[in-house]
Amino acid sequence: MSVLIVIPARYASTRYPAKPLVALTGASGVSKTLIQRSWEAAMAVKGVDRVVVATDDERIKAEAERHGAEVVMTSTECRNGTERCAEAYSNLGGGYDIVVNLQGDAPLTPAWFIEDLIAGLEANPWAELATPVLRCEGAMLASLREDRHHGRVGGTTAVFGAGNRGIYFSKEVIPYTSESYAPDAPTPVFHHVGVYAYRPETLLAYPDWPIGPLETLEGLEQLRFLENGRAVLCTEVEARGREFWELNNPSDVARIEAMMAGMGLE
C-alpha cells in the first residue's frame, strides 16, 4: 500500500506561538528546529513513499525547505492538523492508500510507532483510522498526574475496548485509578501518541463534519471521528526503552532536550 506522511505545522499556536521554529539541542550540542526534527523523524520511517510539510506560514515553509523538506501550502482556515492534512492531500491530487499525520510537535516519535500504526491499519479493514497508544509506566503516570495537578496539559490518554476499538480520548488522566505504581511498573493508563493513519476517504470527509461538544470541550481533533461514529483503531506500541514526549508548552523544551541527551539523540 502506498503511504504519504504529512507533517502539519502552524505558526499561530494558541498555547505556544511559533512552536515549529523553536530550537531543540540534542546530545551532541547541535541545535535544530522542531519542524526539522519532526521531518527527520518522518524520513526515518520505512515503507513510506512521500513526506511533506503542510503549513500556511511562509516562515515555516522557508525553514522546512532550508533542510530539504517538501512543503505543501494550505489555507489559514484549517482548524486543526487533521483538516490541514486533508487539504494537503487534496492539493497533492490524492493517489495514496494511507495518509499519516505526524504532528509537528512530536520529534521523539520512533519510526516503529508509525510502522506499527500502518501495519495495524492494513491488518484491520474495519478501521477507518488508527492511532498509537503507549502503556504508561508508573513514572509517566506520575508525570501526567503532576501536570494536571498544576493545570498543565502534559499529554492525552486513551481508553479502548474489544479489538482495540477506541472509546474515548481525554486530556484528563483516564481511566481513574487510586493505586500508586513503582516507576517502572505497568499501569492501566495508556498515553495517546499524537500520530494518525487515515483511509483517504475518511480523511477527506472529516472537514465537513460538525465540531461536536466533546471535541469542543477537550480540544482534541480525534474526538470528531468518535462523535461521528467512525471506527478508530488504537494500536498499542512498545517504547523499547525510548522516552516519548510531545512539545505542548514552553516548559517541555528542557524536558525533551534532557530526554534526547539521555538517549544520545543528536
Side-chain angles (χ1 to χ4, degrees):
M1 301 183 91
S2 58
V3 179
L4 167 72
I5 294 182
V6 180
I7 305 171
R10 63 175 182 145
Y11 190 91
S13 170
T14 302
R15 280 186 288 165
Y16 199 167
K19 184 168 64 172
L21 304 181
V22 169
L24 295 170
T25 302
S28 64
V30 174
S31 183
K32 300 178 184 178
T33 58
L34 177 61
I35 192 62
Q36 180 176 354
R37 291 191 179 278
S38 298
W39 177 77
E40 289 177 352
M43 293 297 290
V45 180
K46 297 176 182 177
V48 172
D49 297 273
R50 191 175 186 181
V51 176
V52 300
V53 172
T55 187
D56 58 4
D57 190 272
E58 291 293 335
R59 290 161 291 192
I60 295 173
K61 177 178 184 289
E63 169 59 20
E65 289 181 338
R66 184 182 65 80
H67 58 258
E70 179 183 359
V71 177
V72 177
M73 296 303 292
T74 53
S75 74
T76 59
E77 303 303 313
C78 298
R79 293 169 290 187
N80 58 41
T82 298
E83 290 194 2
R84 197 170 304 283
C85 286
E87 184 177 330
Y89 180 73
S90 180
N91 289 348
L92 289 171
Y96 295 89
D97 298 310
I98 293 175
V99 183
V100 175
N101 172 355
L102 175 60
Q103 300 191 86
D105 58 5
L108 297 184
T109 304
W112 64 85
F113 279 21
I114 302 173
E115 292 161 4
D116 289 351
L117 184 65
I118 293 168
L121 195 59
E122 290 177 338
N124 292 275
W126 58 266
E128 297 180 76
L129 69 150
T131 192
V133 292
L134 180 66
R135 185 183 292 274
C136 290
E137 293 185 340
M140 177 176 280
L141 177 56
S143 182
L144 291 173
R145 286 170 166 170
E146 180 71 8
D147 278 332
R148 294 307 298 129
H149 177 73
H150 290 286
R152 298 187 298 264
V153 178
T156 298
T157 56
V159 175
F160 48 90
N164 281 34
R165 182 165 179 151
I167 295 174
Y168 196 64
F169 300 87
S170 182
K171 290 178 179 176
E172 293 293 346
V173 183
I174 58 173
Y176 169 76
T177 171
S178 61
E179 293 186 34
S180 297
Y181 300 88
D184 60 349
T187 78
V189 176
F190 283 83
H191 180 205
H192 173 241
V193 181
V195 184
Y196 305 92
Y198 318 98
R199 309 281 184 200
E201 59 273 17
T202 301
L203 174 63
L204 291 174
Y206 177 92
D208 294 329
W209 297 334
I211 297 176
L214 298 178
E215 181 184 356
T216 301
L217 289 167
E218 294 268 12
L220 295 174
E221 64 199 271
Q222 66 268 36
L223 290 176
R224 196 181 309 180
F225 293 100
L226 294 181
E227 289 188 271
N228 283 275
R230 303 296 171 145
V232 179
L233 171 67
C234 291
T235 301
E236 186 174 353
V237 294
E238 299 292 336
R240 301 184 193 174
R242 278 280 294 271
E243 293 185 278
F244 174 85
W245 205 264
E246 298 169 359
L247 203 161
N248 293 304
N249 308 288
S251 59
D252 291 328
V253 171
R255 176 182 286 176
I256 290 176
E257 288 181 332
M259 288 180 176
M260 289 193 296
M263 292 182 284
L265 298 179
E266 297 185 357

